[in-house]
Amino acid sequence: MSAEVTQQSLAQSLQQTLSANAQERKQAEKYLESVEQAAQFVVPLLQLVNNDSTEEHIRFAAALYFKNFVRRRWPQSEDVEDTISQTDRQAVKSELVSLMISVPKKLQLQLGEAVSIIAKNDFPEKWPDLIKTLVSKLSPTGYHINNGILQTAHTVFKDWRSEFRSDKLYSKINYVLNEFTDAYLQVFVTTDKLIDEHANNREALKMLLHSMMLLCQIYYDLNCQDLPPFFEDHMGQFMQTFHKYLVYNNSWAESEDDEVPGDLEEVKASICEIIELYAQRYEEDFPQLPQFVETVWNMLTTIGPAHKYDTLVSRGMAFLRTVVRNPRQKHLFASSDSLRLICERIIIPNTVLPEADEELFEDDPMQFARRDLEGSDMGSRRAAAADLVRGLLDQFSAETTQVMSVYIQKSLEQYAANPGANWRQKDVAMFMATSVAVMASVNALGATRVNELVNIVDFFTSHVVQHLSQVDSDRDALILKVDAIKYITTFRSQLPREMLVQSLPLLTNHLGHPNLVVSTYAAVAIERLLVLKQQGSLLITPADIQPYVEGMLTHIFSVLDRADSPQKLAENDYLMKAVMRIFLASRTNILPLAPAALAKLARILGEVSKNPSNPKFSHFMFEAIASLARFSCAADSSAIGQFESTLFPIFQVILQQDVAEFMPYVFQILAQLLSVHQGSGRLPDAYVSLLPPLLQPTLWSAQGNIPALVRLLQSYLQIGGQQLASEGQLQPILGIFQRLIASRANDHHGFNLLLAITHFVPLETFKEYLKPVLTLCLNRLQSSRTAKFTRNFVHYTGSVLCIGGAEQSGVALFMDAMDSIQPNLFATVLHNVLLESVSSVVGRVERKSTIIGYGLLIASPKFQSNQAYAALTGPLLQQLATMLMDTAVKETKSMADRTNVDGSAAAVSAVAADEDLDSLEIEDTGYQASFARLATLGDIKIDPCPQITDTARGLGQILKPVQQAVAASIQQLPAEVIQFISTMIQSS
């Protein structure tokens, strides 16, 4: 272990990462990053977490760093170097359980996530003693220890809830059941008994009920995939206890804070989760179901409105929803009285907007909007009530609609009688109307299926649009404006097109509303409308939006201008996403507004670069800049000057100040701006002077920079490959290639760069470098071969073989270079390594160039005249035919290459196609905190055989002149392959 890696040095660095001084923070972060790979780094880090004499915030920072360290470096794969020694791995696993027992709950949660990651990778094969260790530490009296053990067990088991069934998973669960269940039952029974014995001791109850909550969580974990025989045999005992705690009342056990659920509320909520699982999965083995239905029903009709009960009420309604959706259990709700009572006593009371939400609307508008828009309110009473309505509609559509319509109409009448006093009734009516109307929905489209008994258009014109006709209406009930905008967003796939187009000016006006929630929802609605498609085409056309674009942008930028700090400015990513979408929807029509929009974006970029705080805002901001540049320069290429003069000074500051979060974006925008100069034949002076700093090793040491820098170098080569070669810049770029292919994580980026060098540098110049390049690749194949590296080398080889087409200059070039290393070396490598990987190449252009390149190889006289090569004709033809016969859609090369960081520098197009931008979402671009590819930029097109559009026909034409020479090899292949190749040659 390095002398510097001590608890003291780590504590000092972690303290500095919390500094307000940005330079001090960065230095500390760089130090920690540099020592991460030191032997035994992780041991003093864990010791620091466990050090009682260390300040609490430092211990927490250490636990947080440990969790992130494990997330980054613990998983092992052939495509990523393992930087943690086996000694350190074993030390971590031997210490973690004891740490989970001894540290405070706040630290437990951070360590627990690390345990989950380690267990997912190592348990049980590489951590076989984990369960035995947990069981051995369980105590009959020490419930602080037990809670640490149970928390650890739950942390290990909880991932099973979301995993797909597999033999491996079932084997793991059975292993745990055999080792754990007897001890689990003993602790369960003892905990129940101790709760009874300490019924009047608040502190003891708090500890014991927390144990019971964890026991319930573990019960769910162990039953989530299948009903184990152990739990089936003991179901009566468990269910009796669960029922006991579902109806358990003890003033000493309840939370004293009405805002925060206590352990008893959490126990009851966990039990509702368990019985919902049983009702959904194991109904036939669950005779206690009717009893629990009655109990939950009664509980929901008597429980109070306090916030601490929200999760319990939501889980209870989720249980009833699951039961009512089961046709075999619908009789429990079939009577008209039952439907009326469940609507009146359970659903309606829980659709009222909570007072806490009203306060949040006023005090923290962004939190209110984000919680609703991103679905973090799914555990709310309102969301659960809406789901229960949909459950009832599944079985009793007409009856439920009729009952709910009565309450909706009543609420509308109350509002009409006194709008000022009864606005909450209108809010309830609009929420209930939406709940009854939506039968199915997805985020991308809103409601996809609606209740045929509800006229959503009539409700919109009669009760919704009135709240949007005037911007300054509903001053004392702004939530009604939000409801109205949400109605448009929810039913955008169902409302008539003309109604949506007519709503554009109404929504545009509300973009500038002084209330941030209203303006945010208006931005979201516009953004969603602009990606809506009908029969494959955008529903809202550039012509539809054009009259309102200037107003939209003016209002959005005016709202953003209100921010008084970089953090506040970057808070509202919904507004910036709308800006991006407006540019994408306007296409080249944006040109007249581009100068003003660019100035606004440049100011925002300059501000937020001082302290980047919201990755989503940053991504949409750069995507907006990229789309504005793309469409403006497409309409008028001279616009490039204004973009460069406006952005370069800001980019220079970002690069000089090492704003790590923004640097990958800057490199991508530079690549885009440079690409506009295509056809000039020379690199502009500004880009020439920028190149040497771009090749400095420090930039390439940051993983997030690598894909963006490779993309930028591809643009350099595309515009000025010949110039770079003549000015002696090729050597340092090849040095970057050498660095990249030495890394398992980055070798695919190295090949993307090498493809650009090979394609854009004059062949006469590149010839001299091919032998050392191939030597590097062969050394890597020999020392550290992976499937990804082999696949990329196969594709690169095919691309070189394609050079010159039928003249076969690429074949001669490649074979001569290989033979200069060692005679017949390529035959050996092809036979032993590459042949089996030919069909693994993915991507349309990549597969085409591989098939054509290796076809040209087979057809070359040099190949056929050398027995070492000619003997491979049949196996190689079989691989190429197999690729052509496999018509299944293949993933893109970038998806296949992606490991921890997006690897999308491979080539299908110079820019992303317009249709690809219509519904652009962050998740589709490989968004991550370290690197997010700008979809507007697209990839450099590197197609060595663009003249060939039909790959099978092209291969047939290549083989036709040599069909006699290869006939004997073809006849040794399987019958279906022979037939395919013969037909292909004859049809060419």
Side-chain angles (χ1 to χ4, degrees):
M1 181 175 66
S2 171
E4 290 80 15
V5 187
T6 63
Q7 286 191 57
Q8 183 179 0
S9 65
L10 290 174
Q12 182 179 354
S13 297
L14 289 168
Q15 176 69 56
Q16 290 170 345
T17 63
L18 306 174
S19 169
N21 185 310
Q23 191 61 33
E24 189 176 357
R25 282 199 313 272
K26 286 180 180 177
Q27 287 179 349
E29 288 164 0
K30 285 184 176 179
Y31 167 76
L32 290 169
E33 186 179 344
S34 69
V35 299
E36 263 191 20
Q37 300 183 42
Q40 300 178 6
F41 158 80
V42 74
V43 174
L45 184 63
L46 278 178
Q47 290 171 342
L48 185 61
V49 176
N50 197 34
N51 192 333
D52 291 337
S53 63
T54 301
E55 293 180 74
E56 184 180 344
H57 73 279
I58 296 295
R59 293 179 71 188
F60 181 80
L64 184 63
Y65 196 94
F66 172 73
K67 177 191 73 176
N68 291 329
F69 169 81
V70 168
R71 179 179 290 129
R72 286 193 304 271
R73 298 191 179 270
W74 197 277
Q76 296 169 278
S77 74
E78 69 166 15
D79 291 332
V80 180
E81 289 90 350
D82 185 5
T83 58
I84 308 176
S85 70
Q86 289 305 313
T87 303
D88 282 358
R89 287 179 181 273
Q90 196 55 44
V92 167
K93 288 183 283 193
S94 64
E95 292 292 330
L96 264 183
V97 173
S98 298
L99 269 178
M100 284 289 289
I101 295 170
S102 61
V103 299
K105 185 177 179 180
K106 184 179 179 182
L107 301 182
Q108 265 185 7
L109 295 175
Q110 299 301 321
L111 293 178
E113 290 190 45
V115 170
S116 177
I117 296 166
I118 295 170
K120 191 168 186 178
N121 285 274
D122 289 15
F123 178 74
E125 293 85 357
K126 299 177 184 177
W127 203 357
D129 60 343
L130 171 61
I131 301 302
K132 289 181 180 177
T133 302
L134 294 175
V135 170
S136 70
K137 292 183 180 292
L138 285 170
S139 166
T141 55
Y143 268 76
H144 175 75
I145 294 175
N146 283 359
N147 285 350
I149 296 295
L150 295 172
Q151 180 65 56
T152 304
H154 173 51
T155 297
V156 173
F157 305 157
K158 66 182 180 181
D159 284 345
W160 301 344
R161 300 182 179 204
S162 57
E163 288 190 30
F164 291 110
R165 295 188 175 196
S166 67
D167 291 342
K168 183 178 179 181
L169 176 61
Y170 273 52
S171 175
K172 185 185 293 188
I173 294 173
N174 285 329
Y175 176 85
V176 169
L177 291 169
N178 291 333
E179 299 281 343
F180 189 72
T181 47
D182 288 338
Y184 171 82
L185 178 59
Q186 184 178 348
V187 174
F188 186 91
V189 171
T190 303
T191 304
D192 175 41
K193 181 181 177 183
L194 289 172
I195 289 173
D196 289 340
E197 292 175 0
H198 294 82
N200 298 318
N201 184 332
R202 183 180 293 278
E203 288 304 313
L205 278 175
K206 183 176 178 62
M207 181 76 70
L208 292 165
L209 284 168
H210 187 67
S211 299
M212 183 57 73
M213 185 274 292
L214 289 170
L215 288 162
C216 291
Q217 294 279 1
I218 292 170
Y219 187 99
Y220 189 103
D221 298 337
L222 297 176
N223 285 263
C224 65
Q225 289 287 339
D226 203 356
L227 180 57
F230 175 86
F231 289 102
E232 190 173 4
D233 293 342
H234 293 85
M235 185 182 297
Q237 181 180 3
F238 280 113
M239 290 301 163
Q240 183 179 359
T241 305
F242 289 151
H243 189 269
K244 167 185 173 180
Y245 286 101
L246 203 54
V247 298
Y248 184 84
N249 287 305
N250 182 345
S251 59
W252 294 103
E254 290 191 5
S255 172
E256 296 179 286
D257 186 346
D258 278 351
E259 296 301 311
V260 181
D263 292 293
L264 179 59
E265 291 78 28
E266 290 184 347
V267 167
K268 292 184 176 185
S270 294
I271 292 170
C272 287
E273 195 176 25
I274 291 168
I275 59 177
E276 182 190 1
L277 172 70
Y278 270 59
Q280 191 173 55
R281 301 279 298 277
Y282 316 126
E283 172 212 352
E284 294 181 357
D285 300 304
F286 188 26
Q288 300 89 352
L289 177 59
Q291 179 190 19
F292 277 107
V293 170
E294 183 180 355
T295 301
V296 171
W297 183 303
N298 291 333
M299 178 187 75
L300 291 174
T301 58
T302 57
I303 203 164
H307 185 55
K308 66 180 179 180
Y309 299 122
D310 284 1
T311 302
L312 173 57
V313 170
S314 300
R315 294 264 175 84
M317 284 194 279
F319 166 68
L320 292 184
R321 177 204 60 201
T322 296
V323 176
V324 76
R325 278 181 168 166
N326 186 337
R328 291 184 297 276
Q329 302 296 336
K330 62 186 268 186
H331 65 276
L332 296 171
F333 306 87
S335 72
S336 57
D337 279 347
S338 294
L339 287 173
R340 181 180 59 79
L341 289 172
I342 198 171
C343 291
E344 182 179 298
R345 297 188 181 181
I346 296 177
I347 293 173
I348 301 300
N350 288 298
T351 58
V352 177
L353 188 71
E355 186 177 333
D357 284 7
E358 290 186 39
E359 293 174 357
L360 191 66
F361 185 95
E362 296 294 336
D363 300 338
D364 193 347
M366 274 312 303
Q367 177 63 18
F368 178 94
R370 198 174 300 281
R371 193 178 67 172
D372 181 31
L373 293 167
E374 297 182 2
S376 57
D377 70 333
M378 291 309 292
S380 71
R381 297 189 185 213
R382 270 196 151 189
D387 284 343
L388 181 52
V389 169
R390 292 187 190 107
L392 292 169
L393 288 168
D394 283 347
Q395 299 298 331
F396 313 103
S397 180
E399 299 88 336
T400 303
T401 303
Q402 183 178 5
V403 171
M404 291 296 293
S405 296
V406 171
Y407 292 106
I408 292 170
Q409 187 59 38
K410 181 179 178 181
S411 296
L412 290 172
E413 290 171 356
Q414 289 174 330
Y415 171 76
N418 191 341
N422 296 334
W423 66 265
R424 292 178 182 83
Q425 279 70 20
K426 180 65 178 286
D427 173 63
V428 168
M430 294 176 74
F431 182 84
M432 286 192 293
T434 301
S435 301
V436 174
V438 177
M439 300 291 285
S441 66
V442 293
N443 287 336
L445 300 171
T448 54
R449 185 166 60 91
V450 296
N451 187 342
E452 295 179 355
L453 301 173
V454 177
N455 190 329
I456 60 169
V457 173
D458 180 67
F459 190 88
F460 178 75
T461 55
S462 302
H463 303 291
V464 175
V465 74
Q466 60 184 275
H467 299 291
L468 299 177
S469 56
Q470 298 295 326
V471 176
D472 59 355
S473 64
D474 301 305
R475 291 182 179 179
D476 297 322
L478 292 177
I479 283 178
L480 297 183
K481 284 189 174 292
V482 173
D483 290 338
I485 296 170
K486 282 177 66 177
Y487 193 93
I488 296 173
T489 308
T490 301
F491 295 106
R492 61 187 182 274
S493 295
Q494 308 296 328
L495 292 170
R497 180 186 181 280
E498 60 271 17
M499 195 168 282
L500 296 176
V501 174
Q502 290 166 9
S503 72
L504 286 175
L506 305 180
L507 294 170
T508 299
N509 292 337
H510 282 80
L511 280 172
H513 197 281
N515 182 275
L516 190 58
V517 181
V518 175
S519 59
T520 298
Y521 275 79
V524 170
I526 288 172
E527 193 274 330
R528 291 292 84 191
L529 289 179
L530 295 182
V531 297
L532 191 62
K533 288 186 175 183
Q534 193 174 67
Q535 297 178 338
S537 299
L538 288 174
L539 196 69
I540 306 294
T541 67
D544 293 327
I545 190 181
Q546 196 56 34
Y548 313 111
V549 168
E550 185 173 5
M552 289 177 179
L553 294 175
T554 299
H555 286 316
I556 292 175
F557 286 129
S558 70
V559 173
L560 291 171
D561 284 343
R562 298 174 199 164
D564 55 7
S565 69
Q567 294 95 320
K568 207 70 179 172
L569 175 58
E571 183 180 44
N572 198 328
D573 45 272
Y574 305 105
L575 293 176
M576 188 53 71
K577 188 176 185 180
V579 171
M580 175 200 77
R581 190 72 66 198
I582 291 165
F583 291 161
L584 293 173
S586 299
R587 296 293 195 264
T588 54
N589 291 339
I590 198 64
L591 182 62
L593 303 175
L598 176 61
K600 287 289 187 181
L601 287 171
R603 187 197 73 80
I604 292 169
L605 172 59
E607 279 298 306
V608 297
S609 66
K610 296 174 184 176
N611 187 10
S613 56
N614 183 350
K616 284 189 175 181
F617 183 94
S618 301
H619 184 86
F620 291 132
M621 173 183 63
F622 281 104
E623 203 75 78
I625 293 171
S627 56
L628 184 64
R630 170 177 173 168
F631 294 117
S632 299
C633 294
D636 180 3
S637 59
S638 66
I640 185 64
Q642 185 170 22
F643 278 89
E644 290 174 336
S645 62
T646 301
L647 294 174
F648 274 22
I650 305 172
F651 287 174
Q652 188 173 9
V653 171
I654 290 171
L655 296 176
Q656 287 175 345
Q657 296 185 355
D658 192 20
V659 184
E661 299 91 336
F662 284 3
M663 289 171 73
Y665 288 115
V666 168
F667 298 141
Q668 289 179 86
I669 298 289
L670 286 171
Q672 182 190 40
L673 298 178
L674 178 54
S675 294
V676 177
H677 295 279
Q678 191 169 357
S680 63
R682 289 196 60 81
L683 295 165
D685 292 342
Y687 294 91
V688 172
S689 62
L690 181 63
L691 183 58
L694 293 178
L695 300 176
Q696 294 301 310
T698 50
L699 278 183
W700 294 85
S701 63
Q703 181 64 46
N705 287 345
I706 291 173
L709 282 168
V710 167
R711 179 62 181 83
L712 178 53
L713 289 183
Q714 286 180 313
S715 287
Y716 268 92
L717 291 159
Q718 181 187 35
I719 303 301
Q722 184 172 352
Q723 178 184 348
L724 292 172
S726 63
E727 294 177 358
Q729 294 287 355
L730 204 53
Q731 194 74 37
I733 295 175
L734 282 166
I736 297 294
F737 158 74
Q738 181 176 357
R739 175 193 181 109
L740 293 175
I741 68 154
S743 162
R744 288 185 174 189
N746 296 315
D747 50 24
H748 56 290
H749 297 305
F751 278 110
N752 292 333
L753 180 58
L754 182 59
L755 279 167
I757 295 170
T758 308
H759 190 71
F760 295 121
V761 169
L763 190 59
E764 286 302 313
T765 303
F766 179 68
K767 273 183 181 179
E768 63 182 278
Y769 296 106
L770 184 57
K771 179 181 176 180
V773 162
L774 293 176
T775 302
L776 287 170
C777 293
L778 293 171
N779 288 338
R780 170 64 200 277
L781 276 173
Q782 186 175 26
S783 64
S784 182
R785 187 200 323 171
T786 65
K788 173 162 71 80
F789 185 90
T790 308
R791 181 180 66 246
N792 278 280
F793 184 62
V794 167
H795 166 235
Y796 175 71
T797 301
S799 297
V800 176
L801 294 171
C802 283
I803 294 173
E807 296 177 4
Q808 300 182 342
S809 54
V811 174
L813 173 69
F814 192 87
M815 293 185 72
D816 288 346
M818 291 292 280
D819 284 345
S820 70
I821 300 172
Q822 180 182 315
N824 293 335
L825 175 60
F826 187 39
T828 304
V829 174
L830 187 58
H831 179 268
N832 294 337
V833 180
L834 303 186
L835 190 60
E836 64 181 11
S837 298
V838 169
S839 61
S840 69
V841 174
V842 293
R844 183 183 62 82
V845 173
E846 291 81 3
R847 287 171 74 84
K848 181 185 77 167
S849 56
T850 300
I851 292 169
I852 298 301
Y854 281 92
L856 288 165
L857 176 68
I858 292 169
S860 71
K862 190 166 185 175
F863 188 90
Q864 290 301 322
S865 63
N866 186 325
Q867 184 55 35
Y869 289 105
L872 299 174
T873 299
L876 188 50
L877 275 173
Q878 183 169 352
Q879 288 286 330
L880 302 183
T882 300
M883 292 175 75
L884 288 167
M885 293 164 69
D886 180 8
T887 57
V889 176
K890 300 295 178 185
E891 62 184 333
T892 63
K893 179 179 183 293
S894 60
M895 288 300 295
D897 286 341
R898 188 175 296 163
T899 51
N900 292 347
V901 181
D902 180 71
S904 44
V908 289
S909 60
V911 291
D914 284 358
E915 59 270 20
D916 296 333
L917 302 178
D918 290 342
S919 54
L920 169 66
E921 296 290 355
I922 269 192
E923 292 76 10
D924 300 331
T925 68
Y927 171 82
Q928 297 186 11
S930 58
F931 172 70
R933 181 175 67 88
L934 290 175
T936 322
L937 174 61
D939 299 318
I940 292 287
K941 178 178 180 178
I942 299 180
D943 185 352
C945 45
Q947 73 282 4
I948 295 176
T949 55
D950 184 329
T951 306
R953 184 178 176 83
L955 180 59
Q957 290 172 340
I958 291 168
L959 295 177
K960 198 164 192 174
V962 295
Q963 57 183 319
Q964 296 301 321
V966 300
S969 298
I970 294 174
Q971 290 306 311
Q972 298 174 22
L973 301 178
E976 66 273 15
V977 177
I978 295 173
Q979 179 63 41
F980 180 85
I981 294 175
S982 300
T983 304
M984 179 179 67
I985 294 174
Q986 291 170 9
S987 302
S988 62

